[in-house]
Amino acid sequence: MVSTGQPQAAATPDLAVSTTAESEAPAPKISWVWHLLNFSPALLLVWFVSRFSVKIPVLDEWWLSYVFHAVRLGTATFNDFFAQHNEHRLFFPRLIWTSLAFATGWNIKAELALNVLLVVIVFAIVYQIALRQAQRIGSALFNLANLSSSLFIFSLTQYETWLLGVMGAVLLVHASVAFAIGVCFIQRLHPWTRFVLAAVFCFVASFSMMQGLASWIALLPCITLLPKESRSGRKLYLWCFLFASSVVIYFCHFRFSPGRDILRFLHHPLQAGGFFVALMGNSFCQSDAIVSGPIALVTGAAILLGLGAYVTMLRGESKEIIAPWLSLALFGFFYAAMV
């Protein structure tokens, strides 16, 4: 499950765009060569998936057969799609997987193709936000930041993510969060339209994996920037109500896995804290290296310090520049915390 850190990894390099807000740098002219180079890791990913993927289910994918069996017999109910899988409510992924399975004879390559499309959408949204900001305020590090993001997002070290259809649940959450952030900054849409669309995407994320519930909190920097009407704060109150409602629905008839003590980390706070910091930095380390643990700790600590620094910068005219990247980083933060 290496992809748990990807939203954060994508946000980190692009946050460099915001540091030039005061510099009055000229808007860069982006060559088509740079556009192609920034998306080239995606082309490598497409080749990798087409070359090494298989058509039949493997490993954790076989549990879906009971859902398909119920659908085939006409006995499927809402609970078959809403029921827990470990601690997750995979409602929307189950709907997608079932549709693809019956349309293709459960050819896993169809699910993998959708997964690739989802991650391309994530990067395209991140890239578009960065491009719009660079055209507005300029940035000498624009191409370097986006190429770095592309390399992290499409990294082949996440081979399990790219070769397992069930990882579509993870990618659907990430894509939903990216969509929610992106629509908040579509100026031609009415503020309430942006608000509703962002809420819909957060709802989809919430009922795709448990970590999707964190999207509501992560989106707060973007929601607070939506233009306000005469009754100030109404959007924020409604957003908190929708978040609370999603939590209530999610935990209706919820059961934690047998033997799972969710408060165990309180008994060993230092050990749990170290694991959390290492998890934040793990995406940047080689997992089988001898020094991977210390490197992950140092990298994770640097990421958390950077996140803290950008939280303190969320004021004045810099809010609109920092908000989308802060939301991406916060989602990565809460995702790791829930893991």
Side-chain angles (χ1 to χ4, degrees):
M1 296 288 186
V2 182
S3 64
T4 56
Q6 290 311 305
Q8 180 274 328
T12 303
D14 284 285
L15 281 170
V17 176
S18 65
T19 61
T20 60
E22 307 293 336
S23 64
E24 300 296 332
K29 295 181 179 180
I30 310 301
S31 167
W32 66 269
V33 176
W34 270 110
H35 289 308
L36 180 61
L37 185 61
N38 288 331
F39 276 90
S40 59
L43 300 178
L44 179 61
L45 175 61
V46 171
W47 169 84
F48 178 81
V49 172
S50 63
R51 173 65 178 81
F52 295 103
S53 61
V54 295
K55 296 181 179 180
I56 62 173
V58 295
L59 300 175
D60 295 339
E61 295 170 334
W62 283 105
W63 67 269
L64 282 167
S65 59
Y66 87 90
V67 178
F68 303 154
H69 182 69
V71 173
R72 173 68 72 184
L73 295 179
T75 60
T77 64
F78 174 82
N79 191 60
D80 287 318
F81 294 90
F82 188 72
Q84 287 180 234
H85 181 70
N86 295 326
E87 276 74 43
H88 303 293
R89 300 282 193 187
L90 304 177
F91 179 76
F92 290 103
R94 279 186 174 115
L95 288 177
I96 294 173
W97 292 330
T98 302
S99 300
L100 288 176
F102 279 91
T104 65
W106 204 7
N107 186 338
I108 298 300
K109 287 197 173 187
E111 296 178 17
L112 300 182
L114 177 60
N115 292 354
V116 172
L117 176 61
L118 289 174
V119 77
V120 169
I121 289 174
V122 170
F123 178 69
I125 294 174
V126 170
Y127 190 70
Q128 178 59 32
I129 294 174
L131 179 61
R132 184 167 60 245
Q133 290 189 354
Q135 291 173 338
R136 173 183 170 187
I137 64 177
S139 174
L141 298 177
F142 172 80
N143 289 311
L144 177 61
N146 284 285
L147 180 58
S148 299
S149 296
S150 181
L151 291 172
F152 281 125
I153 292 176
F154 299 111
S155 172
L156 299 186
T157 59
Q158 308 175 84
Y159 59 90
E160 286 185 328
T161 301
W162 311 133
L163 298 180
L164 286 177
V166 291
M167 291 303 291
V170 178
L171 297 175
L172 181 60
V173 171
H174 295 347
S176 298
V177 172
F179 270 122
I181 294 173
V183 297
C184 288
F185 297 93
I186 302 178
Q187 299 298 327
R188 63 178 178 272
L189 294 180
H190 189 276
W192 275 108
T193 302
R194 287 183 259 170
F195 178 91
V196 171
L197 288 174
V200 169
F201 287 124
C202 286
F203 185 81
V204 172
S206 298
F207 293 94
S208 296
M209 285 187 69
M210 175 181 276
Q211 284 85 350
L213 290 170
S215 62
W216 298 94
I217 305 175
L219 261 289
L220 284 174
C222 298
I223 296 301
T224 56
L225 286 181
L226 292 176
K228 300 178 178 61
E229 60 286 317
S230 56
R231 298 179 64 179
S232 179
R234 186 165 59 174
K235 290 188 180 69
L236 184 59
Y237 296 143
L238 180 56
W239 188 262
C240 293
F241 171 77
L242 292 174
F243 169 48
S245 300
S246 297
V247 171
V248 171
I249 296 173
Y250 191 97
F251 286 98
C252 182
H253 302 294
F254 185 89
R255 296 289 186 274
F256 282 101
S257 300
R260 179 72 57 89
D261 181 7
I262 63 171
L263 299 179
R264 185 174 56 185
F265 67 94
L266 295 177
H267 305 310
H268 306 281
L270 293 179
Q271 183 181 14
F275 176 79
F276 170 70
V277 175
L279 182 61
M280 291 292 292
N282 183 65
S283 296
F284 302 90
C285 303
Q286 184 177 354
S287 59
D288 58 349
I290 298 177
V291 295
S292 61
I295 293 177
L297 283 170
V298 173
T299 306
I303 291 172
L304 291 174
L305 288 175
L307 176 59
Y310 273 99
V311 169
T312 62
M313 294 171 61
L314 191 64
R315 61 180 182 274
E317 295 181 356
S318 65
K319 285 184 178 180
E320 187 175 347
I321 304 299
I322 295 176
W325 313 120
L326 181 58
S327 288
L328 281 174
L330 285 175
F331 181 69
F333 174 87
F334 290 120
Y335 198 120
M338 294 175 76
V339 171

